C-alpha cells in the first residue's frame, strides 16, 4: 500500500520550479490590477498538475464525479457544437479524462477497491471546475492551467493565448533552416512562449531566441515556461510591441517567427465561446482585414533580418497567406526571395515562409 | 514505370528479410504488359517497413487532421490535435485522437501504423506492375532460432532468452511491433498452436498466452490464425496472401489461373478486420497457394 501511495506526500519541486511558481503567484496578483481582463480568483494558483496532492477522496467519490461530469458532457456536447462550433460530447469526455489525470496522483484504474485517492484539488472544486467548463465555456486549458503542445506541457492561464496545434509546425519549419542551431531568433508576440521554448530546446552553443510580447501576463507565463524547461540561457524575454524591443539586434537575426493576431475584427463576435469570451482579444484581433500585424511584421522583417535570414508567419489561412506571399514576392520582392506557402495538416495554407535577400 | 522503379530502388536499399515466394496484388495493373512474370529480376524481395526509422516511415505517409470545417488556427479551441496518417505504399490508415498534443497523436498514430503493418505480414512488391502483396514469412522449424526482435518481447523467464537481450519490451514500445511480427510468423508456421510456439520459445503455454493477451490487436490476430482452417501442411503451401479487397482477390485469381507460370491460388478466407481505436471494421481477403 505504502508503495503505491507514499504518504505523507510532500510536494518536492526542484528549487527552480518552486521559485518560479512563487513568482507566478505574486506577479499575476500584481498584474491583475493593471490588466483589463478581470482575472478569476483561482488565477494566481499554479496549474493543476503542479499542485501538491494534499486532498483525499474515495474511489467511489471520484467515480460519482465522473458519472455526473460525463452526463453533463453528453447532455451539453451536441448543443455546444451546434451553436458555435464548440466542443462535442466526444471531445468533452476526453477533456474530462485529462482533467482527472491532472487532478489525481495515480491512474484511477490501477489500484484496488476501497482505497483513498490523493487529489490536487478538493473534490468540490473539481465539480466547480467542470461546471465552469460546461456552463461558462471556460476553456479546458485554463481550467487545468496547462496545454500539451508538441512534446511540451506549457503553463497557460487567462490573459494568454492557448497555443494551437497548428502552430506546432512553426518549430518544424525552423528546424529545416540550415544552421539554425547557432543563430539568433526572434519569436514576436510569444504569448505563453510556446514557439520560443520549442525552438530554444533545439538550439546549440551560440543560438538564442528573443521572445517579445506586449502583455505583461503573457511574459510572466512565458517566463515560467522558459524556467520549467531550463532555457533561461537560451531564451531572452523582452516586453514591447513587435520589433520595438529588438533595436539592438536589428539586421542580425537569422530568423523571425510569429503567430500574430490575424482574425478579422468582424469575426470576433462569432467566435466559439471558449475563444471569443475567454481568450485575450489582444492576441486574436488582427484589425479590419485581420492583417494589420502581419503587414507590419513583413515590413519590419526587411530591416530586422540579416542577409539570408528566414521568416515564418502563421496566418488566418488561404486568402491571407496568398496576400502575404504576393506582397513579399512582388512589392517587397527586393528584400525577400523563395517565398512559400505551407499548409497545415487540415490542408489550409497556414504559413508563409521566405528568406531575406 | 518510373514510379515503380523508384519504389524498387527504395525497397532494395532497406534491410530486407530473406527472399520470399510471392504473388501479385494489382494496384494499378498495366494492361499493356505482355505477360506476368515471376522471375526474380522483376520481383522485389519482401520488404519490411518496420525496419524503417520513424522519419523514413513518416516520409511514406500522408498526414491530415480530419478536415475541420471553418478556418481553424486562432479561431478554434482544440479540434485539430487528432491526427490521421495514411501509409501510401500499403494504404493502411492509422489515427490517434486521445493524446493531448498533435505531436503526441502523430507519434501514437505512427506506433499504431507499425502494429497494423506487423499484424498483416511482409510486403512483396512487383517491380513492373506496382503491385503489393502481403505474405507471412516461411519458417524452418528445425533448428529454429528466434530473431532478437522476438527475444526482446519475451518475458525474462524464457529459457532461450539470454542475459544480453536486455529488459522486456512492452506493447507501448515502438519496437514491440517487430517482435510481434516475428511471433506471428512463428505461430503461423506451427499452424496456430500456442503450446508448440511456447515450447520453441522456452516458455510455458500460460506465459506465452499472457504475452499474447497483453496487446489487443495481437490477441485478435492470433485468434484469427488459430480459428481459421487455413493453415497448411507442407512448407511449399504454408503461405497466406493478404489481398486487401475483394476486387484485387478476384483479379489475382483470374491472373493466376490464366497464366501458366503462375502458382495456383484459391480465395479461402475473408476476415473481418476490426481496427481498434479507429472503430473501422472492414473486410480483408486472403488467398492461399495451391500445391
Amino acid at each position: 500500500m505504502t508503495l503505491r501511495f507514499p504518504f505523507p506526500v510532500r510536494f518536492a519541486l526542484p528549487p527552480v520550479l518552486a521559485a518560479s511558481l512563487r513568482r507566478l503567484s505574486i506577479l499575476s496578483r500584481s498584474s491583475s490590477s493593471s490588466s483589463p481582463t478581470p482575472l478569476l480568483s483561482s488565477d494566481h494558483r499554479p496549474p493543476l498538475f503542479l499542485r501538491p496532492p494534499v486532498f483525499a477522496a474515495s474511489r467511489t467519490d471520484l467515480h460519482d464525479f465522473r458519472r455526473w461530469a460525463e452526463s453533463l458532457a453528453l447532455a451539453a456536447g451536441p448543443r455546444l457544437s451546434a451553436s458555435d462550433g464548440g466542443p462535442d460530447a466526444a471531445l468533452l469526455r476526453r477533456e474530462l479524462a485529462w482533467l482527472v489525470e491532472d487532478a489525481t496522483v495515480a491512474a484511477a484504474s490501477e489500484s484496488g477497491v476501497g482505497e483513498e485517492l490523493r487529489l490536487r484539488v478538493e473534490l468540490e472544486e473539481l465539480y466547480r471546475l467542470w461546471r465552469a467548463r460546461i456552463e461558462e465555456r471556460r476553456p479546458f486549458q485554463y481550467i487545468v492551467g496547462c496545454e500539451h503542445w508538441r512534446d511540451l506541457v506549457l503553463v497557460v492561464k487567462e490573459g494568454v493565448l492557448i497555443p494551437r496545434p497548428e502552430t506546432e509546425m512553426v518549430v518544424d519549419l525552423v528546424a529545416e533552416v540550415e544552421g539554425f542551431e547557432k543563430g539568433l531568433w526572434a519569436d514576436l508576440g510569444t504569448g505563453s512562449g510556446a514557439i520560443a521554448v520549442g525552438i530554444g530546446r533545439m538550439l546549440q552553443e551560440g543560438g538564442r531566441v528573443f521572445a517579445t510580447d506586449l502583455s505583461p501576463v503573457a511574459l510572466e507565463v512565458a517566463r515560467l515556461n522558459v524556467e520549467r524547461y531550463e532555457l533561461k540561457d537560451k531564451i531572452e524575454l523582452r516586453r514591447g510591441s513587435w520589433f520595438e524591443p529588438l533595436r539592438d539586434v536589428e539586421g542580425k537575426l537569422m530568423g523571425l517567427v510569429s503567430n500574430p493576431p490575424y482574425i478579422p475584427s468582424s469575426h470576433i463576435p462569432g467566435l466559439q465561446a471558449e475563444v471569443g469570451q475567454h481568450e485575450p482579444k489582444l492576441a486574436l484581433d488582427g484589425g479590419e482585414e485581420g492583417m494589420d500585424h502581419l503587414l507590419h511584421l513583413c515590413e519590419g522583417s526587411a530591416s530586422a533580418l540579416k542577409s539570408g535570414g528566414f521568416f515564418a508567419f502563421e496566418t488566418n489561412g488561404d486568402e491571407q497567406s496568398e496576400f502575404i506571399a504576393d506582397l513579399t514576392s512582388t512589392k517587397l520582392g527586393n528584400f525577400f526571395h523563395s517565398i512559400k506557402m505551407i499548409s497545415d495538416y487540415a490542408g489550409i495554407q497556414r504559413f508563409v515562409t521566405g528568406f531575406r535577400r | 514505370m518510373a514510379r515503380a522503379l523508384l519504389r524498387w530502388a527504395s525497397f532494395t536499399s532497406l534491410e530486407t528479410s530473406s527472399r520470399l515466394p510471392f504473388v501479385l496484388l494489382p494496384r494499378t495493373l498495366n494492361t499493356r504488359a505482355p505477360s506476368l512474370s515471376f522471375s526474380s529480376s522483376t520481383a522485389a524481395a519482401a520488404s519490411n517497413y518496420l525496419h524503417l526509422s520513424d522519419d523514413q516511415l513518416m516520409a511514406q505517409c500522408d498526414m491530415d487532421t480530419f478536415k475541420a470545417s471553418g478556418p481553424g488556427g486562432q479561431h478554434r479551441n482544440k479540434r485539430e490535435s487528432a491526427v490521421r496518417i495514411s501509409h501510401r505504399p500499403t494504404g493502411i490508415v492509422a489515427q490517434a485522437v486521445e493524446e493531448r498534443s498533435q505531436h503526441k497523436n502523430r507519434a501514437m498514430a505512427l506506433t499504431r501504423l507499425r502494429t497494423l503493418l506487423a499484424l498483416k505480414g511482409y510486403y512483396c512488391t512487383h517491380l513492373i506492375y506496382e503491385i503489393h502483396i502481403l505474405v507471412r514469412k516461411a519458417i524452418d522449424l528445425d533448428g529454429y532460432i528466434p530473431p532478437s526482435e522476438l527475444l526482446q518481447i519475451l518475458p525474462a523467464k524464457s529459457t532461450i532468452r539470454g542475459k544480453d537481450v536486455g529488459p522486456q519490451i512492452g506493447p507501448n514500445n515502438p519496437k514491440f511491433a517487430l517482435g510481434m511480427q516475428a511471433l506471428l510468423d512463428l505461430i503461423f508456421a506451427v499452424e496456430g498452436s500456442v503450446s508448440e510456439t511456447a515450447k520453441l520459445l522456452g516458455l510455458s503455454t500460460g506465459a506465452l498466452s499472457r504475452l499474447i493477451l497483453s496487446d489487443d490487436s495481437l490477441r485478435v490476430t492470433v485468434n484469427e490464425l488459430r480459428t481459421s482452417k487455413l493453415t497448411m501442411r507442407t512448407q511449399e503451401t504454408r503461405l497466406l496472401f493478404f489481398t486487401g479487397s475483394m476486387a484485387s482477390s478476384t483479379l489475382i485469381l483470374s491472373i493466376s489461373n490464366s497464366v501458366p507460370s503462375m502458382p495456383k491460388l484459391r480465395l479461402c478466407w475473408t476476415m473481418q478486420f476490426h481496427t481498434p481505436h479507429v472503430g473501422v471494421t472492414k473486410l480483408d481477403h486472403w488467398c492461399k497457394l495451391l500445391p
Side-chain angles (χ1 to χ4, degrees), chain A residues 24 27-28 31 35 39 155-162 189-194 211-226 237-240 280 282-283:
Chain A
L24 177 75
L27 281 165
S28 60
S31 70
S35 166
L39 295 174
V155 174
V156 294
K157 65 170 183 169
E158 265 89 356
V160 63
L161 184 82
I162 298 161
T190 191
S192 62
T212 73
D213 208 296
L214 192 57
S215 152
V217 184
L219 280 181
E220 276 320 305
V221 171
R223 189 174 312 283
L224 191 72
N225 287 318
V226 169
L237 296 165
R238 295 184 174 186
R239 187 176 170 198
L282 181 70

Short mmCIF file of all heavy atoms in Angstrom, two decimals, chain A residues 24 27-28 31 35 39 155-162 189-194 211-226 237-240 280 282-283:
data_model
loop_
_atom_site.label_atom_id
_atom_site.label_comp_id
_atom_site.label_asym_id
_atom_site.label_seq_id
_atom_site.Cartn_x
_atom_site.Cartn_y
_atom_site.Cartn_z
N LEU A 24 5.18 33.41 -9.97
CA LEU A 24 3.94 33.47 -10.75
C LEU A 24 2.80 33.95 -9.86
O LEU A 24 2.03 34.82 -10.25
CB LEU A 24 3.60 32.09 -11.33
CG LEU A 24 2.27 32.06 -12.11
CD1 LEU A 24 2.44 32.74 -13.45
CD2 LEU A 24 1.77 30.64 -12.30
N LEU A 27 3.33 37.72 -9.03
CA LEU A 27 3.23 38.67 -10.13
C LEU A 27 1.86 38.69 -10.77
O LEU A 27 1.40 39.73 -11.20
CB LEU A 27 4.30 38.35 -11.18
CG LEU A 27 5.66 38.87 -10.74
CD1 LEU A 27 6.75 38.24 -11.58
CD2 LEU A 27 5.71 40.38 -10.86
N SER A 28 1.23 37.53 -10.84
CA SER A 28 -0.06 37.55 -11.51
C SER A 28 -1.06 38.32 -10.64
O SER A 28 -1.98 38.92 -11.15
CB SER A 28 -0.56 36.14 -11.79
OG SER A 28 -0.69 35.44 -10.60
N SER A 31 -0.26 41.89 -11.38
CA SER A 31 -0.60 42.31 -12.73
C SER A 31 -2.11 42.36 -12.93
O SER A 31 -2.59 43.00 -13.84
CB SER A 31 0.01 41.35 -13.76
OG SER A 31 -0.63 40.10 -13.69
N SER A 35 -4.31 44.69 -15.52
CA SER A 35 -4.84 44.03 -16.70
C SER A 35 -6.29 44.41 -16.93
O SER A 35 -7.07 44.51 -15.99
CB SER A 35 -4.74 42.51 -16.52
OG SER A 35 -5.53 41.88 -17.49
N LEU A 39 -9.41 38.99 -13.79
CA LEU A 39 -8.87 37.65 -13.59
C LEU A 39 -9.69 36.92 -12.53
O LEU A 39 -10.13 37.51 -11.55
CB LEU A 39 -7.40 37.74 -13.18
CG LEU A 39 -6.50 38.32 -14.27
CD1 LEU A 39 -5.10 38.52 -13.76
CD2 LEU A 39 -6.49 37.42 -15.49
N VAL A 155 2.51 25.88 -19.31
CA VAL A 155 1.58 26.54 -18.39
C VAL A 155 0.83 27.62 -19.16
O VAL A 155 1.43 28.36 -19.94
CB VAL A 155 2.37 27.18 -17.23
CG1 VAL A 155 1.45 28.00 -16.34
CG2 VAL A 155 3.07 26.09 -16.42
N VAL A 156 -0.49 27.68 -18.98
CA VAL A 156 -1.28 28.78 -19.56
C VAL A 156 -2.27 29.27 -18.51
O VAL A 156 -2.56 28.55 -17.55
CB VAL A 156 -2.07 28.36 -20.83
CG1 VAL A 156 -1.15 28.00 -21.96
CG2 VAL A 156 -3.04 27.23 -20.53
N LYS A 157 -2.76 30.45 -18.69
CA LYS A 157 -3.84 30.95 -17.84
C LYS A 157 -4.56 32.08 -18.55
O LYS A 157 -4.10 32.57 -19.59
CB LYS A 157 -3.29 31.41 -16.49
CG LYS A 157 -2.38 32.62 -16.59
CD LYS A 157 -2.09 33.14 -15.20
CE LYS A 157 -1.25 34.38 -15.27
NZ LYS A 157 -1.17 35.06 -13.99
N GLU A 158 -5.68 32.51 -17.97
CA GLU A 158 -6.45 33.61 -18.55
C GLU A 158 -5.51 34.79 -18.81
O GLU A 158 -4.67 35.10 -17.97
CB GLU A 158 -7.56 34.05 -17.60
CG GLU A 158 -8.92 33.42 -17.88
CD GLU A 158 -9.13 32.09 -17.15
OE1 GLU A 158 -8.18 31.63 -16.49
OE2 GLU A 158 -10.24 31.53 -17.26
N GLY A 159 -5.66 35.40 -19.98
CA GLY A 159 -4.79 36.52 -20.31
C GLY A 159 -3.71 36.17 -21.30
O GLY A 159 -3.03 37.03 -21.82
N VAL A 160 -3.55 34.86 -21.55
CA VAL A 160 -2.55 34.45 -22.53
C VAL A 160 -3.21 33.47 -23.52
O VAL A 160 -4.02 32.65 -23.12
CB VAL A 160 -1.30 33.83 -21.85
CG1 VAL A 160 -1.63 32.56 -21.12
CG2 VAL A 160 -0.20 33.59 -22.86
N LEU A 161 -2.88 33.63 -24.80
CA LEU A 161 -3.47 32.77 -25.82
C LEU A 161 -3.05 31.32 -25.59
O LEU A 161 -1.89 31.04 -25.31
CB LEU A 161 -3.01 33.21 -27.22
CG LEU A 161 -3.64 32.44 -28.39
CD1 LEU A 161 -5.01 33.01 -28.72
CD2 LEU A 161 -2.75 32.46 -29.62
N ILE A 162 -4.00 30.41 -25.72
CA ILE A 162 -3.69 28.99 -25.62
C ILE A 162 -3.03 28.57 -26.94
O ILE A 162 -3.59 28.79 -28.01
CB ILE A 162 -4.98 28.17 -25.40
CG1 ILE A 162 -5.64 28.57 -24.08
CG2 ILE A 162 -4.69 26.68 -25.43
CD1 ILE A 162 -7.10 28.19 -23.98
N GLY A 189 5.51 38.33 -30.29
CA GLY A 189 4.20 38.05 -29.72
C GLY A 189 4.20 36.62 -29.21
O GLY A 189 3.39 35.80 -29.61
N THR A 190 5.08 36.34 -28.30
CA THR A 190 5.36 34.95 -27.92
C THR A 190 4.24 34.31 -27.12
O THR A 190 4.10 33.09 -27.08
CB THR A 190 6.71 34.88 -27.15
OG1 THR A 190 7.11 33.53 -27.02
CG2 THR A 190 6.58 35.51 -25.76
N GLY A 191 3.40 35.13 -26.46
CA GLY A 191 2.30 34.56 -25.67
C GLY A 191 2.84 33.69 -24.54
O GLY A 191 3.66 34.13 -23.74
N SER A 192 2.42 32.42 -24.54
CA SER A 192 2.89 31.50 -23.50
C SER A 192 4.36 31.12 -23.68
O SER A 192 4.91 30.41 -22.85
CB SER A 192 2.04 30.24 -23.53
OG SER A 192 2.20 29.59 -24.78
N GLY A 193 4.96 31.55 -24.79
CA GLY A 193 6.35 31.19 -25.05
C GLY A 193 6.49 29.88 -25.79
O GLY A 193 7.60 29.35 -25.92
N ALA A 194 5.38 29.36 -26.30
CA ALA A 194 5.39 28.03 -26.90
C ALA A 194 6.45 27.88 -28.00
O ALA A 194 7.32 27.01 -27.92
CB ALA A 194 4.00 27.70 -27.46
N ALA A 211 12.22 36.52 -27.24
CA ALA A 211 10.76 36.36 -27.27
C ALA A 211 10.13 37.63 -26.74
O ALA A 211 10.38 38.02 -25.61
CB ALA A 211 10.36 35.16 -26.44
N THR A 212 9.33 38.27 -27.60
CA THR A 212 8.75 39.55 -27.18
C THR A 212 7.24 39.43 -27.02
O THR A 212 6.59 38.58 -27.66
CB THR A 212 9.02 40.66 -28.21
OG1 THR A 212 8.19 40.45 -29.35
CG2 THR A 212 10.47 40.67 -28.64
N ASP A 213 6.68 40.26 -26.16
CA ASP A 213 5.23 40.37 -26.06
C ASP A 213 4.88 41.69 -25.40
O ASP A 213 5.64 42.20 -24.58
CB ASP A 213 4.62 39.21 -25.28
CG ASP A 213 3.19 38.91 -25.73
OD1 ASP A 213 2.30 39.79 -25.55
OD2 ASP A 213 2.96 37.83 -26.27
N LEU A 214 3.71 42.18 -25.78
CA LEU A 214 3.24 43.44 -25.22
C LEU A 214 2.60 43.21 -23.86
O LEU A 214 2.61 44.08 -22.99
CB LEU A 214 2.22 44.05 -26.20
CG LEU A 214 1.76 45.48 -26.01
CD1 LEU A 214 2.95 46.43 -26.01
CD2 LEU A 214 0.80 45.86 -27.14
N SER A 215 2.05 42.02 -23.67
CA SER A 215 1.26 41.75 -22.46
C SER A 215 2.13 41.27 -21.31
O SER A 215 2.87 40.29 -21.44
CB SER A 215 0.21 40.68 -22.78
OG SER A 215 -0.11 39.93 -21.64
N PRO A 216 2.05 41.95 -20.17
CA PRO A 216 2.84 41.50 -19.00
C PRO A 216 2.41 40.12 -18.51
O PRO A 216 3.24 39.35 -18.04
CB PRO A 216 2.57 42.58 -17.94
CG PRO A 216 1.50 43.45 -18.45
CD PRO A 216 1.27 43.17 -19.89
N VAL A 217 1.11 39.81 -18.62
CA VAL A 217 0.65 38.49 -18.19
C VAL A 217 1.31 37.42 -19.05
O VAL A 217 1.82 36.40 -18.56
CB VAL A 217 -0.89 38.37 -18.29
CG1 VAL A 217 -1.35 37.03 -17.75
CG2 VAL A 217 -1.56 39.51 -17.54
N ALA A 218 1.30 37.66 -20.37
CA ALA A 218 1.91 36.69 -21.28
C ALA A 218 3.39 36.50 -20.94
O ALA A 218 3.88 35.37 -20.88
CB ALA A 218 1.76 37.15 -22.72
N LEU A 219 4.09 37.60 -20.69
CA LEU A 219 5.52 37.48 -20.41
C LEU A 219 5.78 36.69 -19.13
O LEU A 219 6.73 35.92 -19.05
CB LEU A 219 6.16 38.87 -20.31
CG LEU A 219 6.48 39.52 -21.66
CD1 LEU A 219 7.13 40.87 -21.45
CD2 LEU A 219 7.37 38.63 -22.51
N GLU A 220 4.91 36.86 -18.13
CA GLU A 220 5.10 36.10 -16.90
C GLU A 220 4.87 34.62 -17.11
O GLU A 220 5.60 33.77 -16.59
CB GLU A 220 4.18 36.64 -15.79
CG GLU A 220 4.77 37.83 -15.07
CD GLU A 220 6.26 37.68 -14.82
OE1 GLU A 220 6.68 36.68 -14.22
OE2 GLU A 220 7.02 38.57 -15.25
N VAL A 221 3.85 34.30 -17.89
CA VAL A 221 3.60 32.89 -18.19
C VAL A 221 4.75 32.32 -19.02
O VAL A 221 5.25 31.23 -18.76
CB VAL A 221 2.25 32.73 -18.93
CG1 VAL A 221 2.08 31.30 -19.44
CG2 VAL A 221 1.09 33.09 -18.02
N ALA A 222 5.21 33.11 -19.99
CA ALA A 222 6.33 32.66 -20.82
C ALA A 222 7.56 32.42 -19.95
O ALA A 222 8.27 31.43 -20.12
CB ALA A 222 6.64 33.70 -21.90
N ARG A 223 7.78 33.32 -18.97
CA ARG A 223 8.95 33.17 -18.10
C ARG A 223 8.88 31.84 -17.34
O ARG A 223 9.86 31.11 -17.22
CB ARG A 223 9.02 34.34 -17.11
CG ARG A 223 10.32 34.38 -16.30
CD ARG A 223 10.42 35.63 -15.45
NE ARG A 223 10.13 36.88 -16.16
CZ ARG A 223 10.98 37.49 -17.00
NH1 ARG A 223 12.16 36.97 -17.21
NH2 ARG A 223 10.64 38.59 -17.61
N LEU A 224 7.69 31.53 -16.88
CA LEU A 224 7.52 30.28 -16.15
C LEU A 224 7.84 29.08 -17.04
O LEU A 224 8.52 28.13 -16.63
CB LEU A 224 6.07 30.19 -15.66
CG LEU A 224 5.80 29.07 -14.67
CD1 LEU A 224 6.43 29.40 -13.33
CD2 LEU A 224 4.30 28.89 -14.50
N ASN A 225 7.36 29.13 -18.28
CA ASN A 225 7.61 28.02 -19.19
C ASN A 225 9.09 27.91 -19.55
O ASN A 225 9.64 26.82 -19.64
CB ASN A 225 6.75 28.15 -20.44
CG ASN A 225 5.30 27.82 -20.16
OD1 ASN A 225 5.01 26.86 -19.44
ND2 ASN A 225 4.38 28.61 -20.69
N VAL A 226 9.73 29.06 -19.74
CA VAL A 226 11.16 29.07 -20.04
C VAL A 226 11.93 28.45 -18.86
O VAL A 226 12.82 27.62 -19.05
CB VAL A 226 11.65 30.50 -20.32
CG1 VAL A 226 13.17 30.56 -20.35
CG2 VAL A 226 11.08 31.00 -21.64
N LEU A 237 13.41 37.09 -22.69
CA LEU A 237 12.08 37.66 -22.81
C LEU A 237 12.18 39.18 -22.76
O LEU A 237 12.88 39.73 -21.92
CB LEU A 237 11.18 37.16 -21.69
CG LEU A 237 10.93 35.64 -21.71
CD1 LEU A 237 10.36 35.17 -20.39
CD2 LEU A 237 10.01 35.26 -22.86
N ARG A 238 11.49 39.83 -23.70
CA ARG A 238 11.53 41.28 -23.74
C ARG A 238 10.12 41.82 -23.94
O ARG A 238 9.37 41.33 -24.78
CB ARG A 238 12.42 41.76 -24.89
CG ARG A 238 13.88 41.38 -24.70
CD ARG A 238 14.70 41.95 -25.82
NE ARG A 238 16.13 41.73 -25.60
CZ ARG A 238 17.08 42.23 -26.37
NH1 ARG A 238 16.74 43.01 -27.40
NH2 ARG A 238 18.35 41.99 -26.15
N ARG A 239 9.80 42.87 -23.17
CA ARG A 239 8.46 43.43 -23.28
C ARG A 239 8.43 44.55 -24.31
O ARG A 239 9.32 45.40 -24.34
CB ARG A 239 8.00 43.96 -21.92
CG ARG A 239 6.56 44.37 -22.01
CD ARG A 239 5.96 44.81 -20.72
NE ARG A 239 4.65 45.39 -21.05
CZ ARG A 239 3.98 46.18 -20.26
NH1 ARG A 239 4.46 46.50 -19.08
NH2 ARG A 239 2.81 46.66 -20.64
N GLY A 240 7.39 44.52 -25.15
CA GLY A 240 7.23 45.60 -26.12
C GLY A 240 6.48 45.12 -27.34
O GLY A 240 6.17 43.94 -27.47
N PRO A 280 -7.58 36.32 -24.74
CA PRO A 280 -7.32 37.76 -24.86
C PRO A 280 -7.51 38.27 -26.28
O PRO A 280 -6.94 37.72 -27.23
CB PRO A 280 -5.86 37.89 -24.43
CG PRO A 280 -5.26 36.54 -24.58
CD PRO A 280 -6.36 35.57 -24.38
N LEU A 282 -6.35 40.85 -27.48
CA LEU A 282 -5.05 41.35 -27.94
C LEU A 282 -4.32 40.32 -28.79
O LEU A 282 -3.57 40.68 -29.70
CB LEU A 282 -4.20 41.69 -26.70
CG LEU A 282 -2.81 42.25 -26.94
CD1 LEU A 282 -2.88 43.66 -27.51
CD2 LEU A 282 -1.98 42.25 -25.65
N ALA A 283 -4.54 39.05 -28.50
CA ALA A 283 -3.82 38.00 -29.20
C ALA A 283 -4.59 37.46 -30.40
O ALA A 283 -4.11 36.57 -31.10
CB ALA A 283 -3.50 36.85 -28.24
#
